[in-house]
Amino acid sequence: MVTSRTGSAPRIDLHAHSTASDGTLSPGELVRAASEAGLDVLAITDHDTTAGWAPAVRALPPGLRLIRGAELSCRWSGTQPPVPLHLLAYLFDPDHPELVAELARVRAAREERGERIVGLLRADGVDVSWPDILAGAGGGTVGRPHIAQALIRAGLVGSTGEAFGPDWLGERYRLPKEDIDVFRAIRLVRAAGGVPVFAHPRATRRGRVVPDELIAELAAAGLAGLEADHEDHSPAEQAHVRALAAELGLLVTGSSDFHGTHKTVQLGAFSTGVEAYERIVAAGVTEVASG
Ligand code: AMP
Ligand code: FE
Ligand code: ZN
Ligand code: FE
């Protein structure tokens, strides 16, 4: 049973990034910040990597529980061009060979895409440097937020949000990467003993979203839950996701998707109920770590 340190309902945030991908707090800083924010449970879910798990566990403050997870870069090829989507995976075996290989492949594809985006920018006379951007990622999974930082450093945009606008990384300089087929990703996460949850499935403000019929197919293929409460969902989108989850028998989560100063959202801004948490813990092969 998870209990709260304050006697009220436990505060559970199941989606957060560290410097192991595109967050700005190190894994240790992230778990300390979660504790200071009064959270009882945090999931570390860096993009396509488990590299933050060990340092986060080592730094885990007393009273905080840590769910080890990741956010997998996926795509659905049922329409052209394929729709990119994110799959949160919780409590899986980080040594499952096929999953390890697939994550390594996606990280390499991210580097290749990042370098091509920089090539497009440079061809247009934008003075950004791929080696600087890679260095800025500090060995973590590289993503567009790192390129956004280079645009900010060059004085071309004022914020990460602006860098994701249509003139920059949101459209003009947006290139696809070789993401994992979403059905394969669900199969791999389940094979590794993990619990797959579709991250921000209705985030129309991020771009195209997949149809509900696809979500029903994913549920039949082993998807466990849907992230409903998220800053990229309008209240109507949150309600829609909840209703769909109820219809399909999926669990529902809410999470901040915290990225440190790369986004404005704060830890615990959205949270998950205890019942969903207990279902995830019961279904996962990895123990929840306790501080
Ligand atoms: P990538 O994974 O390289 O395609 O970059 C996408 C990542 O950028 C997402 O996972 C978010 O973390 C971040 N992101 C997307 N849109 C925005 C935005 N408008 N402002 C800040 N960060 C964003
Ligand atoms: Fe991110
Ligand atoms: Zn995400
Ligand atoms: Fe995320």
Side-chain angles (χ1 to χ4, degrees):
M1 265 306 274
V2 61
T3 49
S4 152
R5 286 177 277 169
T6 57
S8 49
R11 294 186 61 209
I12 301 168
D13 186 342
L14 295 184
H15 186 166
H17 297 261
S18 76
T19 51
S21 64
D22 55 5
T24 58
L25 300 186
S26 70
E29 289 167 342
L30 176 66
V31 291
R32 284 190 289 273
S35 180
E36 280 159 22
L39 293 180
D40 298 290
V41 180
L42 176 77
I44 181 168
T45 55
D46 279 302
H47 295 286
D48 307 309
T49 184
T50 59
W53 289 14
V57 169
R58 278 198 299 275
L60 206 52
L64 181 69
R65 291 172 194 230
L66 182 73
I67 292 207
R68 283 164 277 191
E71 185 172 22
L72 277 48
S73 303
C74 300
R75 68 178 170 198
W76 174 55
S77 301
T79 183
Q80 289 304 322
V83 181
L85 54 103
H86 287 171
L87 192 71
L88 292 159
Y90 299 118
L91 301 173
F92 59 89
D93 170 9
D95 298 319
H96 185 276
E98 244 183 298
L99 186 55
V100 167
E102 196 66 354
L103 295 184
R105 185 191 65 71
V106 174
R107 291 195 303 272
R110 283 173 159 282
E111 295 200 6
E112 184 261 342
R113 173 198 58 160
E115 194 166 7
R116 279 194 296 129
I117 291 175
V118 167
L120 290 181
L121 286 163
R122 292 182 64 85
D124 285 350
V126 177
D127 188 19
V128 287
S129 137
W130 177 242
D132 286 356
I133 290 164
L134 257 193
T141 304
V142 70
R144 282 179 290 160
H146 300 109
I147 304 175
Q149 293 313 300
L151 295 174
I152 293 171
R153 285 196 297 272
L156 294 159
V157 298
S159 66
T160 310
E162 203 184 327
F164 273 89
D167 292 343
W168 298 100
L169 305 173
E171 201 174 304
R172 180 154 179 197
Y173 298 99
R174 180 177 191 165
L175 290 178
K177 56 190 186 313
E178 292 294 313
D179 295 323
I180 314 170
D181 171 78
V182 64
F183 287 96
R184 173 168 162 74
I186 288 174
R187 221 167 35 240
L188 280 176
V189 170
R190 285 294 193 182
V195 187
V197 171
F198 192 162
H200 37 75
R202 274 271 153 174
T204 47
R205 61 185 71 158
R206 282 185 181 223
R208 291 177 303 149
V209 297
V210 301
D212 288 353
E213 293 69 32
L214 188 263
I215 296 180
E217 285 179 39
L218 297 177
L223 184 70
L226 301 178
E227 187 180 60
D229 296 352
H230 185 284
E231 68 163 353
D232 290 347
H233 285 161
S234 68
E237 287 168 342
Q238 293 178 14
H240 179 87
V241 172
R242 281 183 180 280
L244 185 61
E247 196 180 303
L248 298 173
L250 299 175
L251 58 86
V252 165
T253 66
S255 309
S256 66
D257 200 356
F258 177 74
H259 280 70
T261 57
H262 281 172
K263 282 190 182 176
T264 53
V265 72
Q266 294 305 306
L267 279 165
F270 297 91
S271 57
T272 296
V274 179
E275 322 72 45
Y277 167 79
E278 302 283 3
R279 276 173 73 180
I280 289 169
V281 172
V285 75
T286 306
E287 292 292 305
V288 177
S290 295

